[in-house]
Amino acid sequence: MRMADLEHKLKQDFNGELRFHEPMSEHTSLKIGGPVEVMAFPEDPLSLRNILFVANEEKIPLHVFGGGTNLLVSDKGIKGLAISLKAFGSIEAVHSRSSTVQVGSEGESGEQEVTLFVGSGVPLAKLINYAQKNGYAGLEALTGIPGLMGGAIYMNAGSFGTEMMDVIISVAIMSKEGHLIILEKDKLDFSYRKSGLPGDSLILSANICLTKDDPDQIRKRGSEYLTKKKATHPLGELSAGCVFMNPEGNYAGRLIEEAGCKGMKSGDVEVSMIHANYFINKGGASCSDFIHLMKTVTEKVRKHSGVILKPEICIAGEI
Ligand SMILES: Cc1cc2nc3c(=O)[nH]c(=O)nc-3n(C[C@H](O)[C@H](O)[C@H](O)COP(=O)(O)OP(=O)(O)OC[C@H]3O[C@@H](n4cnc5c(N)ncnc54)[C@H](O)[C@@H]3O)c2cc1C
């Protein structure tokens, strides 16, 4: 189908923005990645469903992304349609209850837990800030993790022993056929950096459960975690977070460091001197530089410790 005809079809009953040949490097924290054929920013579930119908009908490959903070995109770009749900940005307290007795509306004494409805486009940092201000505890250890709620759920993002799965009650998804499905936590298969969701489902929102606490105590804990994270992770540089998953009972960063890879380079990508499981774009890095360094590090670690590292970052497009 001609691009102009496709544009016309996609625009029918669609609220939101469409961009064509959009460079993915502008949507990833690594600042790497060629163009995607079409990028869509639907503003409501109906518009999302309508573009999914067109994608299905025309057999257009689908991709969904959030903040692009765990994403490595091919230099050749991505074929098909990339969907951003950043417009799905609401946070709402929907339910508040005591662990012993129901005591009425939110804010009254005796209430211990709150249920929040969080759209998949909410930046995790905004959610953590909202929770802190309102005295809702449970997310402090995730302070400093970039990206959006949908990505955090899909990746089961975690830090200092807390993972997204710890607070999830249910997740609302849209299947690629456009069906809206609510999955309770026991229907999800969360594990280390995995939500168990089908790869082609789009997370629209989640209900999460937090515990009421003193806002100052929450702020204090959050800033302690952030101080620890800043001391041990290169937060101010261009990265996609941890490149490899921690193998059972070990740390990928430690294995990479022990294999002598700290500071190793491929083109403009460097193994961080601060945290060896972070690869840094020093300015003009390409996806092929990054992949080359991943392969070299994997091989060095295998030779040194016998461990075969598995990628944590998501790779999109042909490499
Ligand atoms: C400096 C830095 C520090 C980091 N620290 C941590 C850390 O401590 N712990 C940690 O776990 N991670 C960390 N990360 C990695 C990353 O921030 C998290 O994995 C984050 O939750 C990814 O969210 P995102 O919105 O950026 O997802 P993206 O990178 O955009 O996408 C990641 C994956 O999720 C999928 N996805 C995104 N949105 C949706 C959706 N709405 N529906 C379905 N699938 C979706 C994408 O298809 C892709 O497969 C760090 C990254 C950086 C750059």
Side-chain angles (χ1 to χ4, degrees):
M1 183 182 239
R2 282 188 329 124
M3 205 42 106
D5 295 336
L6 178 62
E7 181 173 357
H8 177 72
K9 216 170 166 184
L10 285 168
K11 276 186 174 160
Q12 282 171 2
D13 301 316
F14 177 76
N15 289 321
E17 195 187 347
L18 291 175
R19 295 187 196 166
F20 295 85
H21 306 293
E22 175 73 1
M24 283 303 295
S25 54
E26 289 177 17
H27 300 273
T28 60
S29 54
L30 269 171
K31 304 283 173 233
I32 289 175
V36 62
E37 285 177 319
V38 187
M39 187 178 281
F41 300 86
E43 279 177 6
D44 52 70
L46 199 56
S47 296
L48 171 62
R49 209 175 61 163
N50 289 341
I51 51 165
L52 291 178
F53 284 162
V54 176
N56 270 331
E57 228 171 73
E58 301 299 331
K59 299 195 171 32
I60 300 169
L62 272 183
H63 311 269
V64 57
F65 69 101
T69 66
N70 212 202
L71 199 56
L72 175 65
V73 179
S74 163
D75 299 320
K76 294 179 205 151
I78 314 179
K79 287 204 163 60
L81 175 64
I83 297 176
S84 163
L85 299 179
K86 71 175 183 187
F88 292 51
S90 64
I91 309 177
E92 245 176 85
V94 290
H95 184 60
S96 183
R97 68 185 161 96
S98 162
S99 49
T100 48
V101 63
Q102 194 78 35
V103 289
S105 66
E106 186 206 341
E108 289 178 22
S109 62
E111 296 167 337
Q112 299 303 313
E113 289 178 346
V114 64
T115 300
L116 298 183
F117 167 92
V118 188
S120 63
V122 173
L124 194 59
K126 183 178 171 190
L127 173 64
I128 291 170
N129 195 28
Y130 171 95
Q132 184 275 315
K133 284 208 164 84
N134 287 281
Y136 305 148
L139 297 169
E140 301 88 291
L142 307 182
T143 308
I145 302 181
L148 309 185
M149 183 68 175
I153 296 169
Y154 186 79
M155 296 305 297
N156 187 23
S159 190
F160 300 114
T162 299
E163 293 171 299
M164 282 308 293
M165 61 179 270
D166 299 332
V167 297
I168 295 287
I169 298 172
S170 60
V171 177
I173 62 167
M174 193 174 276
S175 68
K176 72 173 193 327
E177 292 77 25
H179 302 301
L180 185 62
I181 303 160
I182 311 281
L183 295 164
E184 299 297 324
K185 186 182 186 172
D186 60 3
K187 295 281 179 305
L188 293 161
D189 191 17
F190 281 110
S191 59
Y192 171 62
R193 298 297 171 267
K194 286 191 170 70
S195 52
L197 280 164
D200 49 13
S201 53
L202 294 96
I203 300 166
L204 305 187
S205 64
N207 278 8
I208 63 169
C209 180
L210 300 178
T211 314
K212 294 199 172 178
D213 197 356
D214 173 25
D216 289 337
Q217 291 301 316
I218 300 172
R219 183 189 299 113
K220 192 164 168 271
R221 285 196 296 271
S223 66
E224 280 166 9
Y225 281 121
L226 187 60
T227 305
K228 257 196 239 174
K229 206 168 166 65
K230 276 183 176 164
T232 49
H233 296 70
L235 296 192
E237 298 193 74
L238 301 182
S239 80
C242 287
V243 176
F244 298 103
M245 290 198 270
N246 290 326
E248 188 89 41
N250 212 328
Y251 292 100
R254 180 192 291 162
L255 291 167
I256 297 169
E257 188 171 348
E258 286 171 359
C261 300
K262 257 190 170 176
M264 192 178 267
K265 276 188 171 174
S266 161
D268 235 2
V269 186
E270 183 181 287
V271 178
S272 168
M273 292 302 291
I274 298 170
H275 190 307
N277 200 13
Y278 277 57
F279 290 9
I280 309 297
N281 176 2
K282 300 304 279 184
S286 64
C287 178
S288 51
D289 293 337
F290 202 98
I291 296 287
H292 184 255
L293 194 57
M294 282 177 74
K295 284 184 179 155
T296 312
V297 166
T298 306
E299 187 51 18
K300 282 204 141 231
V301 169
R302 190 193 62 77
K303 276 196 182 136
H304 187 262
S305 61
V307 176
I308 297 171
L309 294 174
K310 300 266 179 296
E312 176 178 321
I313 54 165
C314 307
I315 300 173
E318 195 188 313
I319 49 170

